[in-house]
Amino acid sequence: MTRPLAQDADTRKRGGLHGAGRPGFVWSLPAFLFFALFALAPLAVAIYLSFTDYQGIPVIPPQWTGLDNWTRLFSDPAMYRSLVVTIVLIVLAVLTQVPISLLIGVWAAGFQKSRAIVVSLYFIPLLMSSAAITVLFASLVDPNFGIPAVLTEVFNLPPDNMFSNLLGNQWTAIGVIAFIYLWGSSPLHTLLYQGGARAIPEVLYQAASLDGAGKVRQFFSITIPQLKNTIITSTIIMVVGTFTSFDIILLLTRGGPSGGTSNLPYFMYDKGITSLDFGYGSAVAVLLIVIAMFVSIVMVRVTGYDKMQSTLEGI
């Protein structure tokens, strides 16, 4: 039976088989209810609390204060400092994790004899909690018993050298935090790139070799374009993950020195939980969610990730 021309045109336009195997709304109802219960409902409560004065005491209900928390938030220099720290950590995460994870992931997708052993060792951080990793690095950078003390003694450095107290300076402390992000998170992104590289048809490299293209030319002309969607997915996960991460800062520096490593999630925790100012902390939380959503939407739009290209997408 011949399909109508209009339906064929619509199928080509949508990039898939129209309605083939598409689940109905009932299929997505459990996921929708889960999202509504554990994401939308807490968000609604946070939005409400951001307009109140609430210390978290059950016998004292929240007092409506209107826009006071929001006015205070946008005039708070500590919030802008935390926003800058958040942006710096995200930029450092993308600049370090993307190239390292991409190169190791592509290498790990090959057939080297030592690949399995090296990759198994490299993926060990995936098995460790971020809290354990942070405690480990806190011991390594300890100025009295860690690597800085050893370097000072071995190289006979002055007591106040740049390595003597890495967590006592804002920018060296941010560098340590960025390195912990890199050490703990890059194996996951490497795994994504490894899977993506293995899905690239070998015939593309064979054709490039016949045309005289070397390994470097093949990497930039075949591997990178074929991994476009993997790179975008990995980068979005990286940015959103860094945006909402605060456990490393909590355990390593507690926002110090003098708030120099306090990103927005830690700033929210400090104001909402530590200071028992749930109204102001909720305003920070809502601002954080809005910024994260805006960044995610911009990245999807700019990179063209929302444009369907596969014939099976949307089924």
Side-chain angles (χ1 to χ4, degrees):
M1 181 177 180
T2 305
R3 299 172 61 191
L5 294 177
Q7 184 174 351
D8 288 342
D10 182 64
T11 298
R12 288 192 296 271
K13 183 178 180 180
R14 295 171 63 88
L17 302 177
H18 179 60
R22 186 184 297 278
F25 175 75
V26 177
W27 290 44
S28 60
L29 186 59
F32 177 78
L33 292 176
F34 184 88
F35 181 73
L37 182 61
F38 292 101
L40 296 182
L43 176 60
V45 173
I47 293 175
Y48 166 70
L49 290 178
S50 69
F51 295 97
T52 66
D53 179 18
Y54 183 52
Q55 282 79 42
I57 303 175
V59 296
I60 303 178
Q63 302 295 319
W64 184 263
T65 58
L67 296 174
D68 288 357
N69 288 324
W70 291 96
T71 304
R72 175 185 166 195
L73 177 64
F74 288 111
S75 60
D76 190 349
M79 188 278 289
Y80 292 103
R81 182 178 57 196
S82 298
L83 181 60
V84 172
V85 172
T86 305
I87 294 173
V88 170
L89 288 174
I90 290 174
V91 171
L92 289 176
V94 173
L95 291 180
T96 56
Q97 294 182 32
V98 169
I100 292 178
S101 301
L102 175 62
L103 292 174
I104 297 179
V106 171
W107 174 82
F111 300 98
Q112 298 86 348
K113 293 181 180 178
S114 59
R115 180 196 61 201
I117 298 176
V118 176
V119 170
S120 298
L121 295 175
Y122 181 70
F123 287 157
I124 286 179
L126 283 179
L127 306 176
M128 302 174 64
S129 70
S130 58
I133 294 174
T134 306
V135 172
L136 170 65
F137 275 91
S139 300
L140 291 176
V141 300
D142 185 279
N144 298 312
F145 307 103
I147 294 176
V150 175
L151 292 177
T152 301
E153 182 177 352
V154 170
F155 295 100
N156 196 25
L157 299 175
D160 58 345
N161 64 80
M162 63 177 297
F163 303 107
S164 60
N165 190 5
L166 293 175
L167 301 183
N169 177 277
Q170 178 188 10
W171 296 111
T172 54
I174 287 177
V176 173
I177 293 171
F179 184 79
I180 297 176
Y181 281 151
L182 170 66
W183 195 80
S185 301
S186 60
L188 170 63
H189 301 285
T190 298
L191 202 59
L192 297 177
Y193 291 126
Q194 183 187 26
R198 286 182 174 174
I200 300 175
E202 188 177 358
V203 66
L204 296 178
Y205 295 101
Q206 294 172 346
S209 297
L210 292 176
D211 291 338
K215 294 294 184 183
V216 176
R217 179 65 182 275
Q218 292 179 22
F219 177 78
F220 285 103
S221 299
I222 298 177
T223 305
I224 295 294
Q226 291 291 318
L227 291 178
K228 173 188 172 185
N229 288 336
T230 306
I231 294 173
I232 296 171
T233 302
S234 171
T235 305
I236 291 176
I237 294 174
M238 202 177 295
V239 171
V240 175
T242 309
F243 234 120
T244 57
S245 176
F246 89 108
D247 50 347
I248 293 177
I249 295 175
L250 173 66
L251 295 172
L252 190 69
T253 65
R254 302 190 71 84
S258 303
T261 59
S262 174
N263 63 351
L264 275 181
Y266 182 81
F267 183 68
M268 172 193 67
Y269 167 83
D270 185 47
K271 296 300 179 183
I273 305 298
T274 305
S275 303
L276 294 180
D277 191 351
F278 286 85
Y280 189 58
S282 297
V284 180
V286 174
L287 175 66
L288 179 62
I289 292 173
V290 171
I291 294 176
M293 289 178 59
F294 175 77
V295 172
S296 299
I297 292 173
V298 169
M299 290 182 63
V300 169
R301 291 293 184 183
V302 170
T303 57
Y305 190 62
D306 56 331
K307 295 182 175 60
M308 295 183 178
Q309 297 176 351
S310 169
T311 55
L312 295 180
E313 288 170 334
I315 291 180

